[in-house]
Amino acid sequence: MSPGDEHDYRGKDQGSRPDDPYSTLGGTRQTRTRLPDGDPGHPHARRPVRNSRSLVTITGVVVLLIAAIAFANRGGGSDKDASSGAKSPGTAGSAPTAATGTKPVQGKNGTIASGFAHDEQGAQSAAANYAVALGSAEMFTKEGRDQILDTVYSPAAADKIRAPQDQAYSTAFLEHLGLDSDGNAPEGSTFISRTVPVGTKVLAYEGDSAKVAVWYTGLIGMSGQDSTKPVSTTWKTWTAELSWSGGDWKVTGATESDGPAPVPGDVAASKSDTISKAVEEYGGFTYAR
């Protein structure tokens, strides 16, 4: 589902898999080791067995010491480094996606995160969460769509795009996806539309306005035995223009483009019922920069 003004199935302007197999680690199979004979005069004598508990204890202490050193090295550099702007190798600041400690969101408006920080990080967090909302299955019902538009967009922008959005989610369009005129899936089927942000980038920031690009992958389609629109993935970049209004970031305009898209993996597609079960069991996230 394409958040904002475009949609994959629309064809005109207007949004690790849970079943991946993982190897099971560990095992209980043991191997008996035959110790060499002791005194030649006593062929059945064995060397004394070493106390393995001591070896395990020493090994554990070494591992903990290494872990403690690694954890200590993750901290920031010295005061000299901080004052000079230098970054020590391995510090959290060296990673562009490292957590900063700034609380990303204060609450929620319905199911949509709200109360973002009035800074660049807050603008990125808002854009990521708004992309998720605009790419959700709730956008396919009139009630859900109105609520999302009123929450994500500024009042003026929401009023401006409401009619075009209603036209985009027309009865013909919904039927093309296998939904009824109200946006509901047929009995026994599950309609899936999810947006999963991969990253965000600030293109412009001026205090009360920001332009943020959200690179995301999406899932959309109908999961069911008789579905002619199976769930597939898409890769898009949604760029939102944001304005600080009423104590929060609001979208005033948006554009979208295809990609960047990676090479498809070699994991076989899951069965329809597996996808439906995964969507029901795996909840979404509140995203933060």
Side-chain angles (χ1 to χ4, degrees):
M1 169 61 188
S2 302
D5 301 329
E6 297 184 8
H7 193 286
D8 292 341
Y9 290 98
R10 206 168 293 157
K12 59 181 180 179
D13 290 341
Q14 296 298 342
S16 58
R17 296 189 177 117
D19 56 272
D20 282 347
Y22 290 89
S23 300
T24 302
L25 301 178
T28 58
R29 186 176 62 183
Q30 298 178 347
T31 301
R32 177 175 295 177
T33 302
R34 181 182 177 87
L35 298 177
D37 291 339
D39 188 346
H42 299 80
H44 298 292
R46 302 293 183 189
R47 292 183 180 178
V49 179
R50 292 184 178 181
N51 189 346
S52 60
R53 182 175 300 176
S54 299
L55 179 60
V56 171
T57 302
I58 295 173
T59 303
V61 172
V62 173
V63 171
L64 290 175
L65 179 60
I66 294 175
I69 295 174
F71 181 83
N73 288 336
R74 287 173 55 193
S78 64
D79 293 340
K80 181 178 179 181
D81 291 336
S83 61
S84 63
K87 295 181 179 178
S88 301
T91 61
S94 64
T97 57
T100 62
T102 301
K103 192 172 183 179
V105 62
Q106 302 300 323
K108 286 189 174 183
N109 187 342
T111 59
I112 305 174
S114 63
F116 298 96
H118 191 184
D119 54 22
E120 289 190 21
Q121 293 179 62
Q124 292 179 78
S125 298
N129 285 281
Y130 292 165
V132 171
L134 291 166
S136 67
E138 285 71 24
M139 280 290 289
F140 292 80
T141 66
K142 173 62 176 174
E143 181 181 358
R145 184 164 59 251
D146 284 343
Q147 180 182 359
I148 292 172
L149 295 181
D150 290 337
T151 302
V152 169
Y153 283 84
S154 66
D159 291 341
K160 183 178 180 180
I161 69 170
R162 197 180 310 277
Q165 287 286 301
D166 289 342
Q167 293 176 3
Y169 290 89
S170 64
T171 299
F173 170 63
L174 296 175
E175 289 179 351
H176 180 69
L177 295 176
L179 303 170
D180 64 20
S181 58
D182 294 324
N184 300 312
E187 185 176 355
S189 297
T190 302
F191 178 68
I192 298 169
S193 182
R194 281 199 184 186
T195 292
V196 184
V198 177
T200 59
K201 178 172 64 173
V202 175
L203 302 179
Y205 182 80
E206 296 182 1
D208 287 341
S209 63
K211 188 175 184 179
V212 179
V214 181
W215 178 35
Y216 74 90
T217 183
L219 304 175
I220 186 168
M222 187 72 72
S223 180
Q225 295 297 329
D226 300 326
S227 173
T228 59
K229 296 290 183 181
V231 180
S232 60
T233 58
T234 182
W235 289 87
K236 301 277 187 179
T237 298
W238 181 64
T239 302
E241 296 178 6
L242 302 167
S243 177
W244 185 258
S245 175
D248 213 346
W249 290 105
K250 297 294 182 180
V251 178
T252 57
T255 59
E256 189 172 75
S257 59
D258 292 334
V263 176
D266 57 358
V267 179
S270 299
K271 294 182 178 180
S272 178
D273 56 347
T274 302
I275 294 294
S276 297
K277 184 178 180 181
V279 171
E280 293 173 358
E281 294 181 346
Y282 290 81
F285 295 96
T286 295
Y287 290 85
R289 187 65 171 94

